[in-house]
Amino acid sequence: METNSYLNFRLDGKVAWVTGASYGIGFAIASAFAAQGATIVFNDLSEEKYQKGVEAYKAKGITAYGGVCDVTKEDQVQAFVKKIIEKFGHIDILVNNAGIIKRIPMTEMSASDFRAVIDVDLNAPFIVSKTVIPYMIKEGHGKIINICSMMSELGRETVSAYAAAKGGLKMLTRNICSEYGAYNIQCNGIGPGYIATPQTAPLRVKQPDGSLHPFDAFIRAKTPAGRWGTPEDLQGPAVFLASDASNFVNGHILYVDGGILAYIGKQPK
């Protein structure tokens, strides 16, 4: 039976590069793509981290390809993309997932720390996208998904660099849509809410008296869903944005946040 494109969530025959996808959100997204038939490519900063990622995919029955690449270095990105093209002939899906955060009050943050966050969270998606887009144009299609954040819309203490980078990434997403939509390239963003990952685990540790960590309690109270998200919560939205089902969705940021951005919070008692 013929499947209409707007119902087609399969990714058979597609090559998907998910940056920094050895673990966490990137790993969950890449695993979902693989389940839908895509070939997975990922990178990490060291051979040790990359091999750990390969083994993690293998444990899920996924053969993943790629290698070491620093996505802030244009020459490394160009060489990495060339390697992908030589092996597979095309890149159909790009997820700019690699990112860092430095939680430092703004007046105490050095300019070098600020630049480091901007470099990974904003400059790298620019570098990777500008390298991949010409190949997508040549193929006549492409999907780019930028991992934004609620900090694309909100500010909070200690995350000035991260919020600035993610706000910039939101606008880069819209500009890629504006500039390359005519080439059948869709560029959208996913804005995760607070996700339970190894990095956020210290914020969810129970206190000695059995109570919630203050930040854990804060997030639960601010989230209508009443819980942290999981990396798996991002899989469906990512597959949608990577598939033919989203062919007329472009320049959009899909917030997967349990409702935080829609909620003003409870009235104090």
Side-chain angles (χ1 to χ4, degrees):
M1 182 176 68
E2 184 177 349
T3 303
N4 291 320
S5 63
Y6 54 82
L7 294 175
N8 185 12
F9 294 87
R10 293 292 303 174
L11 302 175
D12 302 285
K14 306 293 187 183
V15 175
W17 177 16
V18 185
T19 67
S22 298
Y23 61 93
I25 289 172
F27 180 82
I29 289 174
S31 297
F33 288 171
Q36 292 300 110
T39 297
I40 302 305
V41 177
F42 77 103
N43 67 287
D44 214 316
L45 283 172
S46 71
E47 184 65 28
E48 181 183 4
K49 290 180 179 179
Y50 170 70
Q51 289 300 331
K52 284 184 178 179
V54 169
E55 292 304 315
Y57 284 108
K58 189 180 295 184
K60 291 179 70 72
I62 299 168
T63 300
Y65 303 88
V68 176
C69 177
D70 181 344
V71 287
T72 69
K73 308 297 184 186
E74 193 165 5
D75 57 340
Q76 291 189 32
V77 171
Q78 289 171 345
F80 193 81
V81 169
K82 183 180 178 182
K83 184 169 69 171
I84 299 172
I85 296 300
E86 287 175 350
K87 185 172 183 64
F88 299 109
H90 50 98
I91 300 173
D92 306 282
I93 302 160
L94 167 65
V95 181
N96 285 308
N97 165 76
I100 62 171
I101 187 169
K102 292 179 181 287
R103 295 183 177 90
I104 306 170
M106 181 175 167
T107 57
E108 299 172 18
M109 190 175 210
S110 68
S112 61
D113 277 339
F114 188 91
R115 290 190 187 102
V117 175
I118 298 295
D119 205 23
V120 176
D121 293 356
L122 181 56
N123 290 342
F126 164 76
I127 291 168
V128 176
S129 297
K130 75 182 286 287
T131 306
V132 169
I133 284 171
Y135 296 98
M136 292 181 167
I137 292 173
K138 184 178 178 181
E139 291 296 316
H141 65 87
K143 301 280 187 176
I144 299 174
I145 302 171
N146 292 323
I147 303 303
C148 298
S149 166
M150 291 185 305
M151 297 300 111
S152 301
E153 299 288 341
L154 298 173
R156 193 172 68 78
E157 61 276 8
T158 77
V159 295
S160 59
Y162 186 78
K166 294 301 185 178
L169 185 57
K170 174 182 70 176
M171 294 311 300
L172 178 63
T173 300
R174 292 175 175 172
N175 205 79
I176 292 172
C177 157
S178 302
E179 200 163 350
Y180 298 103
Y183 296 95
N184 193 29
I185 294 172
Q186 291 85 51
C187 181
N188 294 288
I190 292 178
Y194 285 91
I195 306 297
T197 65
Q199 292 95 320
T200 60
L203 301 175
R204 290 177 281 107
V205 173
K206 289 283 183 69
Q207 301 300 285
D209 64 0
S211 64
L212 296 177
H213 187 289
F215 192 79
D216 188 359
F218 167 70
I219 293 305
R220 290 173 186 266
K222 290 292 292 181
T223 307
R227 66 173 178 87
W228 290 63
T230 68
E232 289 71 28
D233 285 319
L234 302 169
Q235 291 180 315
V239 168
F240 167 65
L241 292 177
S243 72
D244 287 344
S246 63
N247 281 348
F248 205 56
V249 179
N250 211 353
H252 177 73
I253 312 299
L254 176 54
Y255 291 101
V256 186
D257 64 356
I260 290 179
L261 287 175
Y263 187 44
I264 196 171
K266 294 179 181 178
Q267 179 178 333
K269 295 180 179 179

